Amino acid sequence: MERSPVPLDQYVFKIHSRCDLACDHCYVYEGADQSWQGRPAVVSDEVISRTAQRIAEHASSHSLSTVQVVLHGGEPLLAGAPRLHKIITALHSALHGICRLDLRIHTNGVRLDEKFCDLFAEYGVKVGISVDGDRAANDRHRRYANGRSSYEQVIRAIGLLRTDRYRHLYAGLLCTIDVANDPVTVYESLLGLHPPRIDFLLPHATWDHPPAPALGVDAPYADWLITIFDRWLADGRPTEIRTFESVLSTLTGGESRTEALGLAPSSLVVIETDGAYEQVDSLKTAFDGAPATGLNVFSHAVDVAGQHPGIVARQQGLAGLSRTCRECPVVTTCGGGLYAHRYQSATGFDNPSVYCADLLKLITHVQSRLPQAIAEGRHMPIHAISDGNFRELAEGYGSATAVTQLIDGQRTLRRALLASVYQVARAEPTVPSRARDALRSAWTVLATADQERPDLLDSVLAHPYVRVWAARCLDELRPSSASPAGENGAPASPGLLADLGHLGAIAAVAAIRVGVNADVGVPVTNGAVHLPTLGRLAIGTPAAAAPQREAILTIDGKAVHVQVGEDRWEIAVAALLSGEPYSAGIFGGGEPAKWQPVRILTAPGNITVALEDTDPYRDCHQWPAASRLSEADVAKWQRHFHDAWQEIERDHPAYAPAIAAGLTVLMPMSPAPAGRDVSATARHAFGAIGAALPADATTLALLIIHEFQHVKLGAILDLYDLYDPADDRLYYAPWREDMRPLEGLLQGTYAHLAVSEYWRTRQELTTGAAAETARERFAFWRVHTRDAIETLADSGSMTALGVRFVEEMRHSAAV
Amino acid sequence: MTTSTDELRPTVPSSLVDLRGVSLAEMSALSAGIINEAVVRVRPETPTAPVEVAAFNSAI
């Protein structure tokens, strides 16, 4: 059964039908369709206003949220800035209040100058440039009519788009493949232009006019692309390559990002300079008149064009493909290739692509590089907690095994967050090339360390403030945030660049711990080079207005060489890993520097916890972090922690296994006001508890038990939906003056479940005034906790699993 | 026939895909969709990568 036509939300608007280049592989002028010769050179005012009106009508009647318009040609810049201004403002004006306009221009770039760029910057028009690789590759086809090279002009145009002023307009590069060019040279030369995206385009061909054969090679385009794919993957996907991203996405159940692959229906129509609606213009390669619809913007609504059989034919998914394609194992990824490439005069479009062998080979190769589970067509495994462990956790406790299952989930999340930061940052056009190169270098070091010793890399990534850092980077990269990266051409903020630079610090520690040689850049933050989990090298306080500095770390297995400007220091790896402070002999020419290691607290039973007072991302606990502690303060922490742990293990044994398995960091906070104890956790800092050092070990024991409840519940919520996040009501929490959101109430209740039990135990173990105090507090917290449990149960916003969780808490509180 | 007790032990499944067995190098071969599915569990507002672009792709 034929699908109903889908709304059209992509428009290729031909605004000029002539070109200033005479590329011999151009499908517009060298293809079978020569209709350009009968069209006006430049789009008229009437066509502009009618086109804008038709698009707006269609967007409004179909409630489209976004419409994408690609200004195209010929060469669209030949229309000139005044006419482009008219086109752009007409589209913006017509679509204002109806939907978002995603406006782009595809150009050969030779005429691109500041005047055009200023216009595009004013209206947010993204610019894609056609370039086929290095000079030799580009000169093979992309020349003027007199045979002159266009390379210099194109590179100048790209250089303009790479400046701070226009970088946000740089949409990417479009490269038409010629297998006579060396693929690695083409890839490297394009990558050297730092595009946010590269499109490798198969040259248009049909079964009537197939691509030129390569002697003795069955699938030359696949081989060419595979060479680049393998290199791109090894490089850590330094930029988006749309063909590869689409193959990866569709192989893992996602959508294609190009009309050339996948089964998604086409929602695109072309509007020519005379206002004629046409089908996708790659059909110009099929036969003369192939893209024509006989419809135009003056007489026909977009809806009418959308019902044209030629457009509907490209919306039929699997049913619209040839039998050969329908029976092919990679059809959901390939989708029969580009529609025009299926054409044969005898059979029309009921054929596989003329690039069938290439597409099959490429897709099969990409599939072989996927993680095993996906390559074998199996679903990826999912995280789960045994029923018994879930019950223990819900009751407020949890064995080491239960917490280990929570830690397993955290390992997945940390890796996903790390990869997400890398992928989002490298796709962000306002991140300068240098920062992107640094990210790529750091990622390569991390991947190498992971290959050698994944356990040691995990010990670095398990540091609680790595996830805090990743979340902060993603916050800063979020387009909708208050100071968005990339909006209105604002360059990435120094804060974001310093945060992204911290990936280098994480990579440096991975290299040190695993023993991998590496050169990485690390930001100097607050006068120190920070190495998470190890400590920091304090190199002096910078002047307030000093620009952001960067340290270059060279790690060679035995030593870490640190260079900041002209200053150099050297630290032995053994010294870094020893956890001992290190000052003598550390500097080799610069200002004195001091290695300040993270100190480790210990307790009986091989319990070790880092006393984290160096990490630059630790100050995330809603109470200020303390500055570097003196040795005397560390000694106090050690005594309190030792005694607190003994008390927990002896008097509160139900809580000890979970804490022993999951607590990795105590983060000293600034002293609390007199008479108050201060402690806190942060959702992204799994395994860390922040606290101001309390007066005695007994109080520290209570703070640890209380806060670790939050740590556990945060990790449970990372795995499970216990409540409806759409519930934005505020709830009464008996222990607070302010009302709390549902998650806040759940967190408080879960924590006070343990606090109640703590005081019940204290009441049994103490005598006199201490016992009386414990009795009062137990009564207070038990009543409040029970009340809060009932509020949660009555909220109507707990999921089925959340209802069970609350029921287990209720059962525990009743004892 | 013997069956291990582990196989019979009920579990509470999460919707979080287990990426522990995926090396960082292999993460490069995962689509952004799989990574984002994991990340949005803890950060619903996470930006997606790569950014959405028009499907049209003809050079001029």
Side-chain angles (χ1 to χ4, degrees), chain A residues 275-293:
Chain A
Y277 291 113
E278 294 232 321
Q279 303 168 58
V280 64
D281 65 346
S282 53
L283 282 173
K284 290 179 187 298
T285 55
F287 55 91
D288 195 21
T293 65

Side-chain angles (χ1 to χ4, degrees), chain A residues 516-581:
Chain A
V516 171
N517 291 354
D519 291 291
V520 287
V522 175
V524 178
T525 307
N526 298 326
V529 177
H530 294 267
L531 296 176
T533 73
L534 293 175
R536 68 186 181 192
L537 183 69
I539 61 173
T541 307
Q548 178 68 46
R549 291 186 296 170
E550 184 188 45
I552 303 299
L553 271 60
T554 303
I555 299 151
D556 64 11
K558 289 184 178 173
V560 178
H561 309 269
V562 181
Q563 178 151 8
V564 180
E566 298 298 312
D567 296 337
R568 289 180 292 110
W569 301 273
E570 183 180 306
I571 318 172
V573 165
L576 285 176
L577 296 176
S578 74
E580 296 296 324

Side-chain angles (χ1 to χ4, degrees), chain A residues 160-368:
Chain A
L160 197 56
L161 289 175
R162 288 175 58 193
T163 60
D164 284 348
R165 192 168 163 198
Y166 302 125
R167 188 182 290 118
H168 63 296
L169 305 176
Y170 191 9
L173 302 176
L174 298 97
C175 168
T176 301
I177 300 169
D178 187 326
V179 291
N181 296 325
D182 176 61
V184 172
T185 305
V186 168
Y187 167 75
E188 287 180 343
S189 60
L190 295 180
L191 208 58
L193 301 172
H194 297 278
R197 184 173 306 111
I198 299 173
D199 274 329
F200 286 115
L201 308 174
L202 293 168
H204 290 318
T206 66
W207 288 102
D208 288 351
H209 299 285
L215 202 61
V217 183
D218 293 334
Y221 291 87
D223 293 344
W224 198 90
L225 285 167
I226 284 169
T227 301
I228 294 179
F229 175 79
D230 286 347
R231 173 66 188 277
W232 175 72
L233 215 54
D235 286 350
R237 292 162 71 170
T239 192
E240 181 191 344
I241 296 183
R242 191 150 57 140
T243 302
F244 301 155
E245 301 279 1
S246 295
V247 173
L248 289 168
S249 175
T250 50
L251 284 173
T252 53
E255 293 183 352
S256 173
R257 301 179 193 284
T258 164
E259 60 172 342
L261 292 167
L263 291 172
S266 168
S267 58
L268 180 149
V269 69
V270 177
I271 298 169
E272 283 285 358
T273 52
D274 60 358
Y277 291 113
E278 294 232 321
Q279 303 168 58
V280 64
D281 65 346
S282 53
L283 282 173
K284 290 179 187 298
T285 55
F287 55 91
D288 195 21
T293 65
L295 307 170
N296 64 74
V297 292
F298 295 104
S299 307
H300 307 97
V302 174
D303 270 348
V304 178
Q307 289 163 7
H308 185 274
I311 289 178
V312 173
R314 295 173 53 244
Q315 300 175 344
Q316 302 308 307
L318 199 59
L321 300 183
S322 69
R323 183 172 175 182
T324 307
C325 290
R326 291 198 303 271
E327 293 173 352
C328 178
V330 302
V331 66
T332 52
T333 295
C334 172
L338 201 66
Y339 190 66
H341 297 174
R342 301 174 207 164
Y343 182 73
Q344 185 172 32
S345 48
T347 50
F349 295 93
D350 189 22
N351 309 296
S353 167
V354 70
Y355 289 105
C356 179
D358 295 278
L359 292 170
L360 179 61
K361 188 172 183 179
L362 172 66
I363 293 166
T364 306
H365 178 82
V366 173
Q367 199 164 25
S368 75

